[in-house]
Amino acid sequence: MILKKLNMQNILTIIGARPQIIKAAALSRAIKKHFADDIKETIVHTGQHYDANMSQVFFDEMGIPAPDFNLNVGSGTHGKQTATMIEKIEELLMIKKPDFVVLYGDTNSTLAGAISASKIHIPIAHIEAGLRSFNKSMPEEINRMMCDHSSTLLFTPTRTGLNNLIHEGFNAHAKPPFTADNPGIFHCGDIMYDNSLYFADIAAKKSQVMKTHGLVKNNFILATIHRDNNTDIPERLNNIFEALLEISHEHNMEIVLPLHPRTNKMLEKNLETENFKAVKASQKLKLIPPASFFDMIELEKNCKMILTDSGGVQKEAYFFQKPVIILRPETEWLEIVENKTGQITDANKDNILKAFEYYNVHSHLKFPAVFGDGRAAEFICRKMLG
């Protein structure tokens, strides 16, 4: 029986990329406020994202406890990075022997944590389980599937995620004691919704991003581009930026693009010369440094619409009731598309422009509550306690 009745449940949280760091804030906050006498959390940062703007700033801003361990893995190929993480995480797990390893999302840190813990039979709690793009060419799809199928507790943010797990053979009526062979699956709502509700007012007081860049509420577009199949394939990157340039020019609309390090690196390399010059010369296309969490909240709250290839930003658009244009061939968040608050355009210039025209006219959209009640972290803690 893995859910031992002890005075203190020891959990080891593994994070490494920006979305995981942000999600961890909600769980750490719930433990501190409601479960301090029941759960002791050890935080391990793999170092997958080592840029200060992409990592440390989130600990500082959101009051997440400093990592107890930093594995300093850094960048590298998927195989090299994941292998290094597995080796270092396994060593740590052998020493700490936690009751649960808590994993978030679908990054290489997630996969490495799942492999390390499952090999030495430490139960895994996977937060954001059940998401599927049904595109196995995405590394994230493989990562999330591998993690789900080695987990003991699976927490899915949506009904669609729960249905995906059931279709893959998980038993929605499983009873404790839960194990990797008898996992428990739970629709708990989205932990990022917890954060968005909690931090929205704080962001309005602390962020200066609107003032710094001279932005006017509801009079600019927010864009984020970071996935390698967009940044590293010249044709796709050019299509996206040609659409951005046309929208900004034809509609006299400012577009704010916080530059992910990968995107920044690939602009000059993969954009055609004329497009690169046009991007650099544009007064309406604002390329800014990676945004802090509070700055992103303010940009999302105050923009007119969002264009993104990020799964997390798609949800945040919905949280703040903004239409979103999805620069991918699929989405894990089917509810957004089904509610007609988002359109999948992939990196197709014509489709991007058509979606923009649609949302530029259709502004009265409905955003039903499909991501929970903002208390997902408390639900997760209770389930880990048994």
Side-chain angles (χ1 to χ4, degrees):
M1 184 172 180
I2 59 146
L3 293 179
K4 298 174 288 187
K5 294 297 182 180
L6 300 175
N7 291 331
M8 183 71 72
Q9 187 86 285
N10 291 301
I11 69 171
L12 188 143
T13 296
I14 295 177
I15 53 180
R18 165 185 159 159
Q20 296 164 327
I21 296 166
I22 298 171
K23 291 164 193 169
L27 195 70
S28 296
R29 188 170 63 246
I31 292 170
K32 182 178 180 180
K33 286 187 174 183
H34 305 291
F35 302 95
D37 295 331
D38 303 304
I39 299 175
K40 182 181 187 308
E41 182 183 31
T42 298
I43 298 177
V44 178
H45 192 335
T46 65
Q48 180 177 340
H49 279 175
Y50 52 91
D51 183 278
N53 286 329
M54 299 296 290
S55 185
Q56 185 59 44
V57 66
F58 298 108
F59 288 99
D60 296 339
E61 282 192 333
M62 290 181 286
I64 305 173
D68 299 279
F69 300 92
N70 193 320
L71 305 184
N72 297 307
V73 170
S75 61
T77 64
H78 286 291
K80 181 180 178 180
Q81 187 181 65
T82 306
T84 305
M85 289 180 191
I86 291 171
E87 179 183 7
K88 293 188 175 186
I89 292 171
E90 183 181 65
E91 291 175 357
L92 192 56
L93 293 180
M94 295 291 285
I95 296 169
K96 300 299 292 184
K97 295 181 173 61
D99 296 297
F100 272 100
V101 168
V102 178
L103 301 173
Y104 292 87
D106 52 23
T107 69
N108 287 342
S109 295
T110 310
L111 177 62
I115 293 173
S116 302
S118 63
K119 291 291 186 181
I120 55 177
H121 310 298
I122 295 176
I124 297 166
H126 187 201
I127 297 173
E128 214 168 61
L131 304 184
R132 297 291 182 268
S133 65
F134 303 102
N135 177 5
K136 289 183 180 177
S137 68
M138 292 175 58
E140 294 89 348
E141 184 80 346
I142 302 299
N143 293 349
R144 62 175 71 108
M145 292 180 73
M146 293 286 287
C147 186
D148 280 346
H149 284 269
S150 56
S151 294
T152 291
L153 299 179
L154 296 90
F155 299 100
T156 182
T158 63
R159 284 286 175 189
T160 299
L162 188 70
N163 290 336
N164 287 339
L165 292 174
I166 293 169
H167 291 156
E168 290 177 14
F170 287 86
N171 181 4
H173 305 291
K175 303 295 182 184
F178 296 119
T179 68
D181 289 320
N182 181 45
I185 63 174
F186 306 96
H187 173 211
C188 65
D190 198 298
I191 201 165
M192 277 304 295
Y193 189 42
D194 296 19
N195 274 335
S196 294
L197 293 176
Y198 181 81
F199 286 117
D201 292 338
I202 299 174
K205 296 175 183 177
K206 288 194 172 185
S207 173
Q208 296 295 313
V209 69
M210 294 288 292
K211 181 178 179 180
T212 298
H213 297 289
L215 301 173
V216 178
K217 184 178 176 66
N218 293 325
N219 199 36
F220 69 95
I221 295 169
L222 174 64
T224 76
I225 305 160
H226 81 282
R227 290 190 180 271
D228 55 8
N229 73 321
N230 279 334
T231 62
D232 298 1
I233 300 176
E235 181 181 2
R236 293 176 64 85
L237 193 65
N238 278 280
N239 284 342
I240 291 171
F241 272 89
E242 285 174 9
L244 296 178
L245 287 166
E246 184 165 332
I247 290 168
S248 62
H249 177 73
E250 295 295 329
H251 296 270
N252 195 31
M253 180 72 68
E254 288 188 323
I255 300 177
V256 178
L257 177 59
L259 273 183
H260 187 283
R262 179 190 292 125
T263 313
N264 190 34
K265 179 181 177 181
M266 292 298 179
L267 281 185
E268 187 169 8
K269 178 181 178 181
N270 285 339
L271 283 185
E272 295 176 5
T273 302
E274 290 304 313
N275 286 338
F276 182 73
K277 289 180 179 178
V279 167
K280 289 297 184 180
S282 175
Q283 298 297 310
K284 293 295 183 180
L285 187 56
K286 295 192 172 186
L287 307 183
I288 68 173
S292 71
F293 181 63
F294 290 153
D295 285 350
M296 276 300 292
I297 287 180
E298 279 298 283
L299 291 171
E300 289 164 347
K301 280 170 50 182
N302 290 293
C303 69
K304 180 181 179 68
M305 73 178 75
I306 296 175
L307 291 82
T308 187
D309 60 9
S310 163
V313 175
Q314 291 176 47
K315 288 187 302 178
E316 289 157 20
Y318 195 93
F319 298 161
F320 295 115
Q321 301 191 359
K322 305 294 180 178
V324 61
I325 296 171
I326 302 165
L327 306 174
R328 290 169 50 190
E330 72 287 301
T331 181
E332 296 80 12
W333 309 107
L334 298 179
E335 291 83 357
I336 293 174
V337 177
E338 290 170 354
N339 286 315
K340 298 183 179 180
T341 58
Q343 290 188 32
I344 297 172
T345 64
D346 201 8
N348 181 295
K349 178 182 175 181
D350 290 339
N351 289 345
I352 295 169
L353 295 175
K354 288 176 184 176
F356 169 80
E357 295 290 352
Y358 178 85
Y359 288 125
N360 198 37
V361 175
H362 296 83
S363 56
H364 299 292
L365 304 172
K366 294 182 179 179
F367 295 82
V370 298
F371 290 105
D373 60 3
R375 302 181 72 178
E378 293 175 40
F379 179 97
I380 291 166
C381 287
R382 286 194 297 272
K383 290 300 179 182
M384 283 194 291
L385 287 170

